[in-house]
Amino acid sequence: QCEKCGTSLSPTELINPKSALSGAKPELRNTTNWFLPLDKLSADLRAFLESRENWKPNVIGQCMSWLNSGDGLQPRAMTRDLNWGVPVPIEGAQGKVMYVWFDAPIGYISATKKWAAENGKNWEDYWKAKETQLVHFIGKDNIVFHCIIFPSILEAHGEFILPENVPANEFLNLEGRKISTSNNWAIWLHEYLNDFKDMQDSLRYTLTVNAPETKDNDFTWKDFQARNNNELVAIFGNFINRVFVLTHKYH
């Protein structure tokens, strides 16, 4: 999956693929996998999406781009050949595990079941009762999984509620690049609090006004400095100062 645009690519579409660690070239092999028939579920999925009101345009737009692209939704492999992961619990699937995109959303339900069992609650009240609302707060790289794949699984089962809303944000980049903790391209909170003592609200403000609610935004230190000096200090600070001066003078 492309980290910049979110497009899913088949390995066969990659130009001259090779391992970044060893330089070895991958080879194609025959194998057997189980697929989620999204093509057969797309009509119900479209009806579900069209029934939802007040969803963010970036969320609906990405979903419809999947439904309306080329031949529409296609079957998607939900198993893979790995020696770690959740085993596929059917005959003939030895050595197969579930893809995390298929297994992880189901984990929402199983986690609820575990919590309910430990606290004397009924887990079905949270997943099958019509008065319950399911809302996913996610980033845009997870829109496809929470708005297309998971609802398709739930609707195919037939007994579960579907997401009421998925208010997904776009990406917040750092100085023009995707934030990556593995590449150490991030702002580490403990370092920020050490370098900018007692200025946590300045960071909260900058992140809030720059939130990527409908499009990708960029965090830069120059913008952080400008917002702190020009907006918090000059505008808001001046307003607070005037309020206190007038209050002290007249009251």
Side-chain angles (χ1 to χ4, degrees):
Q1 187 177 36
C2 176
E3 291 188 346
K4 291 187 177 180
C5 69
T7 301
S8 293
L9 300 171
S10 167
T12 58
E13 295 179 284
L14 299 177
I15 300 173
N16 190 27
K18 62 181 179 180
S19 168
L21 299 177
S22 67
K25 294 184 177 181
E27 61 183 54
L28 291 174
R29 297 177 182 174
N30 290 324
T31 188
T32 299
N33 279 301
W34 282 257
F35 285 71
L36 182 66
L38 289 173
D39 53 332
K40 298 179 181 178
L41 304 172
S42 60
D44 288 339
L45 179 66
R46 184 184 294 274
F48 154 69
L49 291 171
E50 291 177 348
S51 71
R52 290 310 190 244
E53 299 179 353
N54 301 320
W55 278 31
K56 295 173 67 173
N58 59 305
V59 176
I60 285 293
Q62 187 180 135
C63 293
M64 290 306 174
S65 70
W66 278 71
L67 284 166
N68 298 331
S69 64
D71 298 326
L73 296 180
Q74 296 299 308
R76 188 179 178 111
M78 54 188 173
T79 64
R80 62 195 307 196
D81 300 279
L82 279 179
N83 56 10
W84 59 270
V86 178
V88 178
I90 58 177
E91 186 177 349
Q94 290 73 23
K96 302 284 182 179
V97 298
M98 295 186 220
Y99 251 113
V100 67
W101 61 259
F102 178 77
D103 172 63
I106 299 173
Y108 298 152
I109 303 173
S110 59
T112 306
K113 292 181 71 172
K114 184 176 186 299
W115 169 84
E118 293 173 348
N119 292 274
K121 303 286 186 178
N122 179 14
W123 71 269
E124 292 185 329
D125 290 342
Y126 296 87
W127 285 99
K128 295 184 178 182
K130 291 184 178 180
E131 61 269 21
T132 299
Q133 291 189 356
L134 173 63
V135 180
H136 295 295
F137 295 93
I138 56 170
K140 75 171 179 181
D141 51 336
N142 274 312
I143 289 176
V144 61
F145 304 111
H146 291 77
C147 298
I148 292 180
I149 291 174
F150 193 36
S152 295
I153 297 171
L154 296 175
E155 195 156 36
H157 187 282
E159 295 181 7
F160 290 83
I161 60 171
L162 299 174
E164 184 70 22
N165 206 337
V166 184
N169 282 343
E170 300 287 290
F171 286 151
L172 179 66
N173 297 315
L174 174 60
E175 298 284 356
R177 289 169 51 190
K178 181 183 177 183
I179 294 174
S180 172
T181 55
S182 58
N183 292 325
N184 199 30
W185 189 252
I187 296 174
W188 302 102
L189 192 55
H190 67 283
E191 294 179 352
Y192 173 87
L193 293 175
N194 183 61
D195 294 338
F196 297 90
K197 187 174 177 57
D198 299 325
M199 286 185 61
Q200 53 266 41
D201 283 340
S202 298
L203 182 60
R204 285 194 185 103
Y205 171 76
T206 303
L207 292 174
T208 300
V209 297
N210 205 27
E213 296 206 45
T214 56
K215 64 182 180 64
D216 288 355
N217 279 342
D218 199 32
F219 178 92
T220 67
W221 287 111
K222 284 188 177 296
D223 180 65
F224 169 76
Q225 182 183 40
R227 291 189 183 279
N228 184 76
N229 294 345
N230 301 336
E231 297 173 14
L232 290 180
V233 176
I235 299 176
F236 186 62
N238 184 52
F239 167 72
I240 295 296
N241 180 66
R242 286 173 178 266
V243 169
F244 276 105
V245 168
L246 291 173
T247 302
H248 180 264
K249 182 176 181 180
Y250 295 107
H251 300 286

